[in-house]
Amino acid sequence: MKNVDMQMHVRGTSQFVDDLAAPAGCLHAALVTSRVARGRIRSLDLGEVLAAPGVVAVYTHRDVPGLNEVGHVLKDQPLLAVDRVEYIGQPLALVVAESHLQAWQAAARGRADIEELPAVFDPREALAQGMIHGQKRILVSGDPDAAFEKCHHVVQGSLSSGPQEHFYFETQRALAVPTEHDTLKVHASTQSPGAYHRHLAEVLGLPMHKVELDIRRLGGGFGGKESTAVWVVAPALAAFLLKRPVKLVLPRNHDIATSGKRHPYEYDYRIGLDEEGRILAYEVDLYQHAGACADISLAVLGRSFLHASGAYRIPNIRVRAVSCRTNIPPNNAFRGFGVPQGTFAIEAAVTHAAEVMGVPAAQIKRTNLAGDGDVLPFGMVLENTNSVRCWETLDARVDLAARHAAVAEYNRTHTDSKRGLAVVPVCFGISFAQTALNQAGALVNIFVDGSVEVSTGAVEMGQGVNTKIQLVAARTLGIASDRVRVHTTNTSRVPNASPTSASTGADLNGMATKYACEELLSRLRRFAGQHLGHDDPEQITIREGVVHLAGKPTELSWEKLVAAAQWARVDLSSHAFYATPNLHLDPRTERGRPFAYYSCGTSLTEVWLDCVRGTYRLESVEVVHDVGRSLSEVIDRGQVAGGVVQGIGWATVEQLRYAPDGRVLTGANAYKIPDLKSLAPHFAVTLLENSQNPNAVCNSKAVGEPPLIHGLGAWLAILDALRSVRRDKELPSLPLTPEKVFMYLHG
C-alpha cells in the first residue's frame, strides 16, 4: 500500500501549516536576531521596529509570562536573549505585524549594542577551553592497550565529517490561535508533540491542559523539527499576550542561517589487526561540534558513542566522546541521529587499515562482520540481526570478487579515469537510547457505521507512518484499510507523546494501535459469539470485513456486527499503551541493552572518476536491507532509497560554509542536494526475504534511518578511486565534493 497522502501531494491539495485558512485578525510574527556570535548585550534599540509600518507589538524576555527557556535537554537556551548572545541568529525580540512581509522588514530594523567577546568555532579549541555540554563519555571493553601490543598492523589518523542542512520542503512554522477560557490551540510543524507541548505551557505559564498542540503533517522533518522549539513557542507567546491569532513562517534563507544542522564531528582513531585481518583493538575520540546550546546534542553523541564499533566484532575497544560548545546555532537531530558519524570513523579506519595491508577493504569487513551471538562493546548480545545473510545475498546478486577484479583491471589500463568500489555493512540499533522515551499511546474509535479512527502520537512527515498505522489497524481488525482513518496528532487525544524519531514511529505507535485494536476485536468476538449463539469466542474471526465462525463465513458483516454491538452497549473505543520491554543502560558503567533489536544491511557502491577534472559520477548502487516482514513494501523501498540518497548527499556534495565571524554563508541558491541527474543509473534495492522480528509490530523492522549509512559508500568508493592515483596524502574529510577531489588530485 502506498502513502495515503500521495495523491494529495501530487495534486498539491495536502494541507500544511501555512495552508490553513488564516483566522480573522491573524497577525504575523518575526524575530529580531543577533548579528554577533558571542557577546554581552549593552542595550537593545527597538524604536525603529515599533515605528515600522504595520507593527502591532514588540516583545522581549521581560514580557514572557512564564519560563523564558526552551532548552530541550538542558535549561540553557532562552527563548529571547536576556543579557548575552552565544551565536549569530539568536533571538533578541519578537515582532508582531499585520503581514508577514511587514513583520520581517520591521525585524531587520532592530539594533543591539553588544560588547563582542572572543567566539569559538573549532570543537577542539572549545574542549581545550573547557567549553563542553554535559560530561565526556568513556567506554572501554576488553583491554585495548594490551591488544595493541599484540597487533601485527596498527594504523591511526584524524579526519572530520561536515554538517548537513535538513532542507525540508516546509520551513519552520506555526499558527497559534487563542481559544476560550484563556486556552490556546497551536498548529505546528514539529516532530515532538509531547516536548513542544511542555515548552509551550512552561513559557506561557499555563498548565498543560490549557494548551492544545495539533499536527496534521510535516513537509519533511529529517530531525530538524524535533528539538528547537523557538519557532513554535514564539508565535504562541504573541497570540497569548495579544489574544489574537499569530502565525510565524521562516523564510528559507533565514531558516538555513538560524536552524541547527547535522552535527559535524572530528575524529582521532587507531586500529590494530592481526596477520589474518581480524580487528583486535580500536580506539577513537569523537569531538562533536554541538553549537551554543546543548539542544539534543548529548543524545546524538550518545548514539555515535554506542555505534562506534559499526557493524564489526571488536573485542578490545576504547571510545571517548565529548560534546563541544561552540558559537554557532545549536545543531540538532538529523536522520541517523549520530549513528552515521560514529560509523564513518570505523569505516574510514578499516579502509585505512586495508590499504596498509594491501588487501580489499571488503575482505577485512567480511572477516570482522558482527552477527548473532557477538557481544557489543556495551554488553548487548546481538540476536536476529541477519547481517551475514544481507552480505551473502548482496554477494550472490553482484559477485563482489568479480566486481573488485573488474575495477582493478580498469584502473590498471586507464590513466585519465579510474573506478572505485566500496562495500558498506550497516548495523543500526533501534530504540531511543533514553529508555523513558520508548513508549506510546493510541486511541482507536469504531463508529456505528463501521468506520474506524486512530489517534496516536506519531507525526507524519512523508515517511508513511500514518499508512503503516492504518494497515496495522485494518489487519488486526480484519477489515479493508479504507475503513480506517488516522487522525491528526493531537496532545489532547494522546498526551505526553515521544518524538517521532529514532526510526521508532511505526514500532511504538503501531504496537499501541495493535493493542487497542486487539482489545476492541476481543470485545466484538465475544459479542459476535453471543449474537450467533456460540459460546466460544475463539471460534470467531473477522476476515475481509466478514465474521467467520469455525473458519466459515457467516451472514454477519463487519458493519452489521458493529451496529449490533453498539445497540447492545458494547464499548467501541479503546486506548492502549506500549512500552518497549527489556531496555536499560547504566550511565555509570556504560553497560546494558539500550536497543530492542538491530536493523542490518549491506550495499555496494561504484563510482567513475575523471582524474583530470576531479569530477565523478555514481555508476551503480546495490542495496540489500533487512526490514523484517514489511508493513508496506512500497513505502519501505522508498525509505531505503531516500535514505541512501540523503546519505550520498552528506558524503559528497552537501557543504555549508561559515564566515570567520560565525555567519552561515550558504543560502538556498548555493546549497547542493542530490537530484535525479546525480544518482547512479543502476540503483537497486532488495528487501531481505524470509525475515521475522518478534521485537516490533507485526514482525517488521524500522527502516527510516538505517539505510542512510549506505550513502557512506559514495565517500568510500570515491576514496578508493582517488587512492588508486595517489596515496601520499591523509584521508580527505567528508563531504568529498568535486572541488575537494580536484585539490586532492592536483593540489
Side-chain angles (χ1 to χ4, degrees):
M1 181 177 174
K2 299 177 181 178
N3 191 317
V4 292
D5 289 347
M6 184 187 69
Q7 289 190 352
M8 292 192 300
H9 290 337
V10 171
R11 295 171 178 170
T13 58
S14 308
Q15 285 207 329
F16 301 90
V17 171
D18 206 26
D19 298 314
L20 299 175
C26 186
L27 299 171
H28 297 262
L31 292 164
V32 178
T33 59
S34 172
R35 298 181 177 91
V36 173
R38 189 183 184 198
R40 296 186 185 91
I41 301 173
R42 294 193 185 100
S43 64
L44 186 59
D45 183 359
L46 300 172
E48 288 190 41
V49 179
L50 282 163
V55 170
V56 175
V58 180
Y59 299 113
T60 68
H61 68 92
R62 296 182 180 86
D63 301 298
V64 176
L67 183 67
N68 181 40
E69 177 61 56
V70 290
H72 196 69
V73 176
L74 304 179
K75 297 297 185 183
D76 66 344
Q77 186 173 5
L79 172 65
L80 299 172
V82 179
D83 56 3
R84 59 191 300 118
V85 293
E86 298 292 342
Y87 62 93
I88 291 176
Q90 182 171 350
L92 303 173
L94 175 64
V95 181
V96 188
E98 296 290 347
S99 74
H100 171 83
L101 182 60
Q102 287 175 330
W104 286 101
Q105 287 179 335
R109 298 186 179 191
R111 294 291 178 267
D113 180 10
I114 299 175
E115 176 193 353
E116 291 196 47
L117 300 173
V120 177
F121 305 114
D122 179 84
R124 294 177 190 263
E125 181 184 345
L127 176 60
Q129 294 188 24
M131 297 171 58
I132 65 172
H133 299 296
Q135 301 294 322
K136 179 183 285 190
R137 294 180 69 172
I138 301 175
L139 170 62
V140 180
S141 180
D143 189 343
D145 294 329
F148 273 115
E149 294 295 325
K150 300 175 184 177
C151 292
H152 193 77
H153 302 280
V154 177
V155 298
Q156 61 185 17
S158 300
L159 69 161
S160 64
S161 60
Q164 186 177 19
E165 162 62 29
H166 299 88
F167 220 90
Y168 26 62
F169 285 157
E170 179 192 31
T171 60
Q172 302 279 357
R173 57 194 60 190
L175 168 64
V177 183
T179 46
E180 59 185 13
H181 300 302
D182 288 325
T183 59
L184 196 70
K185 184 170 185 177
V186 180
H187 303 272
S189 186
T190 171
Q191 299 172 230
S192 296
Y196 277 49
H197 187 205
R198 186 179 69 254
H199 287 313
L200 285 162
E202 287 178 344
V203 170
L204 301 180
L206 295 174
M208 292 174 71
H209 75 276
K210 285 200 167 189
V211 181
E212 178 185 359
L213 180 60
D214 191 83
I215 308 162
R216 170 72 273 178
R217 63 175 61 83
L218 275 57
F222 307 119
K225 298 173 181 176
E226 182 178 348
S227 58
T228 308
V230 171
W231 302 287
V232 174
V233 174
L237 170 64
F240 180 71
L241 294 175
L242 291 169
K243 307 304 178 190
R244 290 177 64 177
V246 177
K247 180 190 290 187
L248 185 148
V249 175
L250 287 194
R252 173 64 66 183
N253 282 340
H254 192 86
D255 188 297
I256 293 174
T258 60
S259 65
K261 318 298 178 195
R262 181 188 295 281
H263 291 79
Y265 276 59
E266 294 194 9
Y267 315 86
D268 296 325
Y269 65 85
R270 183 164 65 128
I271 189 168
L273 305 90
D274 65 14
E275 290 185 86
E276 285 72 40
R278 288 187 291 267
I279 302 173
L280 299 183
Y282 175 61
E283 64 178 5
V284 63
D285 289 280
L286 308 174
Y287 306 94
Q288 183 194 58
H289 195 169
C293 308
D295 199 87
I296 205 168
S297 296
L298 294 173
V300 173
L301 183 71
R303 287 185 74 90
S304 303
F305 180 76
L306 294 174
H307 286 79
S309 59
Y312 306 112
R313 181 192 315 108
I314 305 178
N316 303 284
I317 188 170
R318 181 184 293 113
V319 185
R320 291 177 289 254
V322 62
S323 180
C324 304
R325 181 164 56 87
T326 52
N327 296 114
I328 62 170
N331 287 315
N332 48 29
F334 201 120
R335 191 178 193 171
F337 205 81
V339 179
Q341 293 97 313
T343 303
F344 173 60
I346 183 64
E347 286 293 322
V350 168
T351 301
H352 189 181
E355 179 181 296
V356 170
M357 295 174 64
V359 299
Q363 178 179 319
I364 295 179
K365 294 179 182 185
R366 180 63 185 89
T367 298
N368 295 280
L369 185 64
D372 289 1
D374 286 322
V375 182
L376 295 170
F378 46 87
M380 180 173 172
V381 179
L382 287 174
E383 299 173 336
N384 192 35
T385 61
N386 290 322
S387 56
V388 174
R389 282 187 60 208
C390 287
W391 185 291
E392 292 177 346
T393 301
L394 177 70
D395 196 2
R397 284 184 57 85
V398 304
D399 191 345
L400 292 174
R403 294 287 282 268
H404 276 291
V407 167
E409 177 61 19
Y410 183 92
N411 291 345
R412 187 184 68 81
T413 57
H414 290 74
T415 303
D416 291 344
S417 65
K418 300 290 182 182
R419 291 190 182 277
L421 179 150
V423 181
V424 177
V426 171
C427 197
F428 193 112
I430 302 298
S431 290
F432 289 100
Q434 186 178 15
T435 303
L437 293 177
N438 293 286
Q439 58 174 290
L443 173 66
V444 179
N445 298 321
I446 302 176
F447 297 104
V448 71
D449 65 350
S451 60
V452 179
E453 180 183 77
V454 181
S455 293
T456 74
V459 176
E460 174 62 47
M461 46 191 160
Q463 84 280 40
V465 69
N466 279 358
T467 303
K468 289 189 172 183
I469 290 171
Q470 178 188 30
L471 287 168
V472 168
R475 291 175 186 176
T476 306
L477 295 172
I479 60 178
S481 59
D482 60 6
R483 299 296 282 153
V484 180
R485 172 179 179 259
V486 179
H487 209 336
T488 62
T489 306
N490 187 287
T491 54
S492 295
R493 288 192 296 273
V494 179
N496 312 317
S498 294
T500 301
S501 64
S503 302
T504 62
D507 279 14
L508 296 175
N509 297 278
M511 192 68 87
T513 299
K514 186 172 183 287
Y515 283 2
C517 289
E518 286 174 342
E519 171 59 30
L520 290 167
L521 184 63
S522 177
R523 297 174 195 169
L524 289 170
R525 288 171 65 191
R526 286 196 299 270
F527 170 74
Q530 298 166 5
H531 188 80
L532 295 170
H534 199 281
D535 293 334
D536 186 6
E538 294 299 319
Q539 297 295 311
I540 302 293
T541 57
I542 302 173
R543 298 200 301 270
E544 297 180 353
V546 176
V547 177
H548 288 63
L549 175 60
K552 297 181 179 180
T554 69
E555 294 182 357
L556 194 60
S557 68
W558 166 260
E559 288 77 11
K560 291 178 181 178
L561 172 65
V562 169
Q566 165 69 15
W567 195 251
R569 299 187 295 180
V570 175
D571 184 3
L572 298 179
S573 179
S574 177
H575 170 269
F577 179 80
Y578 175 71
T580 312
N582 304 320
L583 299 180
H584 56 94
L585 181 69
D586 187 337
R588 296 168 300 175
T589 62
E590 301 290 4
R591 294 294 188 273
R593 185 180 183 273
F595 305 116
Y597 62 91
Y598 271 76
S599 172
C600 294
T602 306
S603 61
L604 170 74
T605 304
E606 192 170 345
V607 302
W608 178 89
L609 170 68
D610 183 330
C611 299
V612 178
R613 298 174 180 83
T615 57
Y616 51 79
R617 65 172 181 261
L618 271 67
E619 296 279 281
S620 176
V621 176
E622 289 263 4
V623 180
V624 175
H625 203 86
D626 180 14
V627 299
R629 187 174 178 182
S630 178
L631 292 171
S632 170
E633 189 170 314
V634 173
I635 288 177
D636 286 349
R637 286 182 178 277
Q639 285 294 290
V640 172
V644 174
V645 170
Q646 198 163 37
I648 289 171
W650 175 55
T652 59
V653 296
E654 296 190 44
Q655 187 173 42
L656 283 151
R657 294 194 179 277
Y658 293 81
D661 64 357
R663 284 178 298 120
V664 177
L665 295 175
T666 310
N669 63 337
Y671 192 75
K672 174 67 175 173
I673 59 175
D675 56 22
L676 289 175
K677 292 181 179 179
S678 63
L679 298 184
H682 178 74
F683 194 116
V685 173
T686 300
L687 303 182
L688 190 69
E689 296 180 352
N690 303 317
S691 175
Q692 301 286 327
N693 179 30
N695 297 302
V697 61
C698 300
N699 279 291
S700 63
K701 281 191 175 183
V703 71
E705 294 176 297
L708 185 138
I709 296 171
H710 294 299
L712 284 173
W715 185 89
L716 291 164
I718 297 167
L719 177 65
D720 187 46
L722 287 174
R723 301 301 259 188
S724 70
V725 179
R726 60 185 303 183
R727 295 189 178 184
D728 59 330
K729 289 191 170 186
E730 296 294 323
L731 299 186
S733 61
L734 179 154
L736 256 177
T737 62
E739 294 86 352
K740 196 178 293 182
V741 168
F742 181 87
M743 293 307 297
Y744 178 94
L745 291 168
H746 306 295

